Amino acid sequence: MRYVHHLQIGPASFRVGSDWRAPVAALADLYRDYPAPIDDVADYTVRLFAARPWRRWLRPAITLGGDFTLPEAVPMPLDWGVLAAEMAMNLQLALGERRYLLLHASAVERDGRAVLMTGLSGAGKSTLAALLAARGWRLMGDEFALVDPARGRVHAFPRLISLKNESIGVMQSALPNARFGPLLANTPKGDLRHLVPDAAAIARMAEPAVPSLVLYPRYGFAPAERIVPPSEGFVRLTQASTNYTALGERGFDALTRLVRNVPAMAIDYPDTDAAIAQVERLWSAL
Amino acid sequence: MTDAMPLIMALRDPESTAALDGAGWTALIAMARAEQLVGTLAERVAGLPKPAAADRLLDAARASTEHGRTLALWEAEMARRALAELNVPVVLLKGTAYVAAGLQAGRGRSIGDLDILVPRESIDAVEAALLGAGWEWVKPDPYDDAYYRRWMHELPPLIHRERDRMIDVHHTILPLTARITPDAGALIADSVALGNGLRVLAPDDMILHSVAHLFADGDLAGGLRNLWDIRCLIDEFGTATIAERARLHGLERKLARAVRLADTLYACPPFVWNEVEKSIRGPRPVFLDFARNERKGRSDFLYLRRLLARDGWGRAIRPSTRLAFYVRSHWLRMPPLMLARHLWTKWRKAAPV
């Protein structure tokens, strides 16, 4: 394809090709500190293309493609190039990954041990992970935690942090010196802005961690905490995994080991300060 | 323009991949994924030196097709249980048959739907039994449904409501409206029993079904995988008796085309082509042979253009060649007047009200 960028994020690498310069230029800039793919082999190919040749210039619209695609992809405006690339890269992992069990969760690490946070969209996964990173935790990822079925360790996938609506302002005041992508207004997910993970998250992205706490946060409720038993955790994590079924027995073994060995809590929180305090307290009580 | 030739080279001569750099592996894997051949590629290059990153990726692809094999065999077993009481022969077709019979063609092969062949007189009973065991209709449109039942070689596809797997129930191997009408009775009568109560086609029929599927039906989508199946089946079964069987089904010319192309792309075991060609055609005047070869050579070139229409980004290329084969697929499938009526009906349905 005409414009290309290669990058490695944690254990996954991508070749992103585009019919237009702008999306690849924006991506290359935001990911400028990320290494090239290991051995120059990209695990996944992503294509941002014009569905019809004239769409390159005339009312340009990005169609998402790649090794793995969903049948009905809706084209996106050219201005949303970074979002398009991010969505297409996520899709490759979600549909194609077979080396790791994928959990739709954010993850942060301290002393070689990781906290996973999973929940529905709007639960605050990304925001909490970014705030904890601002307080000295290492960010492992805000979207996917990759569990190695052989050893049970969590691998990092520190892609750009995807901030939505109010959390954009929260993070801009928490990290005034951080790098942000362009503000994308009125996307299907609301206002959206990408935050570049800090230097430690990028430098140490190849380091796995031992999962030590699984949290199920819920935003907008009075503070509450409840132990999540392994049976419930198992069901919730199968729902939070995009490739649990595809991994077959390896997926089952990896997930049962995780829910048996790792304590899990559901936490409700009214605001981010309360949530951070809850996480830190649960962590020190481990 | 680059096409799928690197994938062909890797499959026919796996050791040639030693020359690939990282970008070469990236392109090879992208085209193999797009052609549903990544599991096959992974099997072919297993154990050969390659970048560690490519090794990890292809190991995962092998684990994935291995899991797919388990699922396919389980689905076949589910169908067997659902149909056991009917006491009709159930013949597995395509991918599931290859893995159930432990054939080379099944190694690393991706398997989607479950395809079975049953006698036409049992088709209503089979349908009822499957509906009773949790399979459901996928095509809600009455025209599509009626079209399948009247003109196709299979029931409208059914999907299992819990396992989300599709089953195609065939009563022959080409649409009833196609110009070629294989002998479905012979396919079933000569099928071979497996240990588990299911059956597979006899070796020659297995090759001929793959040939019919690729060259007498459809637009050659997924053709590289299909042709790879044919190459593996020929390699395993040989071609000693196939010409006569091809004549029975009316598939001689399609077989000849398949063997020529499989040989051109994947280098079949030596001399297979000559053998088949001779037994199909018999001796004939040299000038006729020459004329035929000329014609044959030209159209093979078109088939090759279509089969290889995939680039290093996994993109479909050569849109006009693809379109031509798409049109051809409909031409093959039904007589012109019927085709016109069918397209008219489909067009009116697609048009906004």
Side-chain angles (χ1 to χ4, degrees):
Chain A
M1 299 194 78
R2 190 169 304 191
Y3 304 97
V4 186
H5 187 66
H6 292 88
L7 72 159
Q8 178 88 35
I9 309 177
S13 55
F14 300 89
R15 168 177 65 156
V16 182
S18 166
D19 281 344
W20 304 270
R21 200 184 65 82
V24 160
L27 197 71
D29 178 50
L30 289 169
Y31 279 109
R32 69 187 178 206
D33 297 323
Y34 287 65
I38 297 167
D39 297 333
D40 289 329
V41 176
D43 299 326
Y44 299 107
T45 290
V46 163
R47 293 183 278 123
L48 308 178
F49 63 100
R52 296 274 176 272
W54 58 87
R55 279 272 182 254
R56 219 172 269 193
W57 302 281
L58 194 68
R59 290 196 293 131
I62 305 176
T63 304
L64 309 187
D67 292 334
F68 303 93
T69 49
L70 289 174
E72 280 155 33
V74 183
M76 306 175 93
L78 188 52
D79 294 345
W80 296 356
V82 178
L83 175 62
E86 286 286 313
M87 282 179 64
M89 293 194 303
N90 287 343
L91 199 62
Q92 300 314 304
L93 270 188
L95 300 178
E97 181 55 49
R98 297 290 181 271
R99 296 164 295 184
Y100 302 93
L101 177 71
L102 233 74
L103 296 178
H104 190 221
S106 64
V108 291
E109 177 259 7
R110 190 184 266 172
D111 305 326
R113 300 191 302 155
V115 183
L116 309 185
M117 290 171 282
T118 182
L120 300 175
S121 189
K125 300 190 301 294
S126 296
T127 316
L128 292 183
L131 285 171
L132 288 166
R135 296 168 53 96
W137 292 70
R138 178 193 28 138
L139 177 89
M140 296 186 78
D142 82 317
E143 178 78 5
F144 291 128
L146 312 178
V147 180
D148 169 16
R151 304 185 58 181
R153 297 186 304 182
V154 178
H155 289 252
F157 184 65
R159 55 154 214 173
L160 300 179
I161 301 164
S162 158
L163 300 172
K164 282 153 225 150
N165 303 317
E166 310 92 86
S167 63
I168 299 174
V170 172
M171 289 319 299
Q172 277 170 330
S173 44
L175 295 168
N177 297 321
R179 286 212 300 143
F180 290 87
L183 177 69
L184 310 176
N186 302 317
T187 74
K189 297 170 179 174
D191 291 351
L192 198 145
R193 192 157 193 186
H194 291 103
L195 163 63
V196 179
D198 59 35
I202 300 170
R204 295 175 56 202
M205 69 185 188
E207 284 176 34
V210 178
S212 302
L213 180 62
V214 179
L215 296 178
Y216 298 86
R218 246 183 2 154
Y219 168 65
F221 294 87
E225 282 160 26
R226 175 175 67 83
I227 290 175
V228 175
S231 53
E232 182 190 336
F234 181 82
V235 173
R236 291 177 78 157
L237 290 176
T238 55
Q239 288 164 350
S241 174
T242 57
N243 67 353
Y244 166 74
T245 320
L247 287 185
E249 197 175 348
R250 286 191 303 150
F252 177 81
D253 290 343
L255 203 53
T256 43
R257 169 149 79 170
L258 185 76
V259 297
R260 276 200 187 119
N261 296 348
V262 183
M265 301 287 286
I267 59 171
D268 291 354
Y269 66 94
D271 55 66
T272 47
D273 286 344
I276 298 299
Q278 276 171 299
V279 175
E280 294 279 10
R281 188 167 40 72
L282 290 170
W283 179 257
S284 11
L286 279 183
Chain B
M1 189 178 222
T2 61
D3 61 11
M5 218 42 214
L7 175 59
I8 303 298
M9 291 311 297
L11 291 175
R12 75 187 260 176
D13 179 15
E15 289 180 7
S16 70
T17 55
L20 293 176
D21 59 5
W25 278 104
T26 302
L28 177 60
I29 288 168
M31 49 178 90
R33 279 180 175 152
E35 292 289 337
Q36 307 254 27
L37 275 164
V38 71
T40 308
L41 173 70
E43 289 288 343
R44 292 290 283 170
V45 299
L48 293 174
K50 62 178 89 62
D55 225 12
R56 268 164 41 85
L57 209 56
L58 291 170
D59 272 352
R62 286 169 76 198
S64 183
T65 47
E66 183 54 32
H67 177 58
R69 193 181 75 92
T70 307
L71 292 182
L73 292 175
W74 179 247
E75 200 58 24
E77 171 61 17
M78 291 295 95
R80 187 197 65 76
R81 290 184 195 177
L83 302 176
E85 284 188 7
L86 300 181
N87 257 323
V88 297
V90 177
V91 183
L92 300 175
L93 301 173
K94 302 189 212 169
T96 311
Y98 306 153
V99 295
L103 299 175
Q104 227 186 85
R107 292 192 60 197
R109 194 185 190 281
S110 70
I111 303 172
D113 309 339
L114 170 63
D115 295 279
I116 61 169
L117 173 72
V118 298
R120 195 168 181 192
E121 61 272 16
S122 316
I123 200 102
D124 292 339
V126 167
E127 181 179 4
L130 291 174
L131 290 174
W135 277 271
E136 293 172 338
W137 298 123
V138 192
K139 301 241 176 198
D141 184 284
Y143 174 77
D144 287 347
D145 191 77
Y147 181 87
Y148 264 93
R149 288 171 192 282
R150 184 151 174 217
W151 301 117
M152 288 296 278
H153 51 307
E154 58 193 0
L155 288 175
L158 292 159
I159 201 160
H160 195 275
R161 76 168 86 92
E162 282 157 21
R163 294 189 305 280
D164 201 29
R165 301 276 295 196
M166 207 179 282
I167 187 168
D168 281 330
V169 181
H170 303 242
H171 52 79
T172 181
I173 55 171
L174 283 178
L176 302 175
T177 48
R179 288 172 184 73
I180 300 173
T181 47
D183 186 340
L187 291 172
I188 292 174
D190 294 336
S191 63
V192 181
L194 298 170
N196 61 1
L198 292 163
R199 309 180 72 83
V200 295
L201 293 174
D204 287 344
D205 283 343
M206 210 183 265
I207 297 174
L208 288 164
H209 175 220
S210 195
V211 168
H213 182 65
L214 182 54
F215 293 106
D217 190 18
D219 60 357
L220 264 73
L224 288 182
R225 182 180 75 168
N226 219 312
L227 204 61
W228 179 256
D229 291 342
I230 293 172
R231 178 229 176 258
C232 293
L233 293 171
I234 287 176
D235 193 25
E236 196 153 3
F237 294 138
T239 49
T241 54
I242 198 167
E244 194 186 323
R245 196 69 177 175
R247 208 167 293 129
L248 171 75
H249 293 307
L251 287 165
E252 313 95 294
R253 297 187 48 159
K254 305 295 178 194
L255 173 67
R257 165 105 56 205
V259 176
R260 276 200 312 271
L261 290 173
D263 192 33
T264 306
L265 287 180
Y266 294 131
C268 283
F271 308 121
V272 163
W273 157 232
N274 283 341
E275 226 175 84
V276 172
E277 174 90 299
K278 245 187 291 167
S279 53
I280 288 172
R281 291 214 253 143
R284 60 174 66 233
V286 173
F287 75 92
L288 256 184
D289 249 11
F290 178 72
R292 247 185 101 144
N293 271 324
E294 279 293 283
R295 280 222 321 273
K296 166 190 89 191
R298 268 215 298 282
S299 61
D300 274 2
F301 167 72
L302 284 173
Y303 282 80
L304 290 172
R305 254 186 82 75
R306 170 62 186 86
L307 286 166
L308 295 172
R310 182 73 63 186
D311 74 3
W313 283 84
R315 282 182 296 188
I317 54 172
R318 298 172 183 154
S320 40
T321 307
R322 284 174 175 269
L323 178 65
F325 275 92
Y326 178 75
V327 172
R328 169 186 172 272
S329 74
H330 278 79
W331 183 253
L332 288 175
R333 198 171 280 166
M334 49 189 107
L337 195 62
M338 191 183 159
L339 176 57
R341 204 165 50 217
H342 173 68
L343 292 178
W344 173 246
T345 312
K346 292 296 264 189
W347 179 77
R348 282 186 22 155
K349 281 186 169 300
V353 183

